[in-house]
Amino acid sequence: YVDYQTSPREVTLRAISTLLDVHTRVSDLYSSPHDQVAQQLRLTIETIKERQESELINNPIGVKIGPTTTPEQAVAYVERLDPHIRGLFDQTLVEEPRVTPDITRLVWRLGDRAATARQNSGNNHEALPRFEELVAFAERVIGVDHPDTITARANLAGSYRQAGRTDDATTLLAAALADGERRIGAKHPVVTSWRKALTAWTQSQQV
């Protein structure tokens, strides 16, 4: 028998509709070597999927986490979601050969959001082991040289810094910065923020 819950979790569903308008002159003149209608449809579907992913990450339990959300509220949301995230992690590792890259990245982002919420609320002692798990997860499932994995290492470096492990933090962030400049781009805003942080950390250690 299926377990009966007197107060089950409520999931709000929403429909997304869009209109694809492709002029005939485009499809007639520029459909070689690529079918323009098919390509425009592909881009439209990708946009919808990105919106879906954004909703799953930013509103995973039906409560919008935004600028006005307090750290305490964010942690409360994460606590409710945490068992589901842990289950996704375990299932992804078991089903690794059959899980698509989009799903593995989504699972990693959910875990990263949960760890970041704990860190921002002052519970870095709880966040640090999660960041370590995220790095191991990303290296195994997403790829050692993937931008998400590099980001995971940079996030772990920040957690090390808060824990007082300054040498570990500086070494790890320096490695993440070098990988980020190579794989993400030296002028990317995220990589630029890592560079500024590394400079500040290095200067503070020299004082």
Side-chain angles (χ1 to χ4, degrees):
Y1 296 95
V2 178
D3 291 337
Y4 178 77
Q5 295 180 339
T6 56
S7 300
R9 173 190 172 198
E10 295 184 3
V11 180
T12 302
L13 302 179
R14 66 177 65 181
I16 299 177
S17 60
T18 186
L19 179 65
L20 175 61
D21 183 11
V22 180
H23 291 285
T24 54
R25 61 177 179 271
V26 174
S27 60
D28 290 343
L29 297 177
Y30 302 103
S31 285
S32 178
H34 303 291
D35 186 335
Q36 288 299 319
V37 175
Q39 293 301 315
Q40 292 298 324
L41 182 60
R42 177 183 62 80
L43 293 174
T44 302
I45 294 174
E46 286 182 358
T47 301
I48 294 176
K49 296 297 289 183
E50 288 176 359
R51 174 64 182 273
Q52 180 188 40
E53 180 179 307
S54 175
E55 286 293 327
L56 287 171
I57 294 175
N58 296 306
N59 190 20
I61 52 178
V63 182
K64 195 70 174 180
I65 299 178
T68 59
T69 304
T70 65
E72 293 75 16
Q73 288 175 322
V75 171
Y77 302 153
V78 167
E79 291 297 339
R80 290 170 54 191
L81 183 63
D82 194 57
H84 304 288
I85 296 177
R86 304 297 301 178
L88 286 172
F89 262 69
D90 295 340
Q91 186 176 356
T92 301
L93 292 174
V94 171
E95 301 289 339
E96 178 186 348
R98 294 180 291 276
V99 178
T100 65
D102 289 341
I103 297 299
T104 57
R105 292 182 63 196
L106 176 59
V107 172
W108 172 80
R109 290 179 184 180
L110 287 170
D112 179 72
R113 187 170 183 84
T116 300
R118 284 184 167 83
Q119 185 183 44
N120 292 341
S121 67
N123 296 323
N124 187 62
H125 62 284
E126 296 180 3
L128 196 152
R130 295 300 182 88
F131 282 123
E132 291 178 330
E133 290 179 0
L134 286 165
V135 170
F137 176 88
E139 289 179 344
R140 172 177 168 179
V141 180
I142 301 177
V144 176
D145 207 34
H146 192 280
D148 285 348
T149 306
I150 299 171
T151 301
R153 296 191 192 106
N155 293 342
L156 176 58
S159 187
Y160 281 160
R161 176 76 177 178
Q162 285 195 20
R165 298 170 56 177
T166 54
D167 291 339
D168 292 336
T170 302
T171 300
L172 187 58
L173 186 60
L177 175 61
D179 292 337
E181 290 177 339
R182 176 174 52 84
R183 292 285 287 115
I184 304 174
K187 296 183 179 180
H188 192 281
V190 172
V191 177
T192 301
S193 68
W194 296 345
R195 188 181 302 108
K196 291 180 179 178
L198 181 61
T199 300
W201 294 0
T202 304
Q203 290 175 347
S204 65
Q205 287 179 283
Q206 294 174 348
V207 175

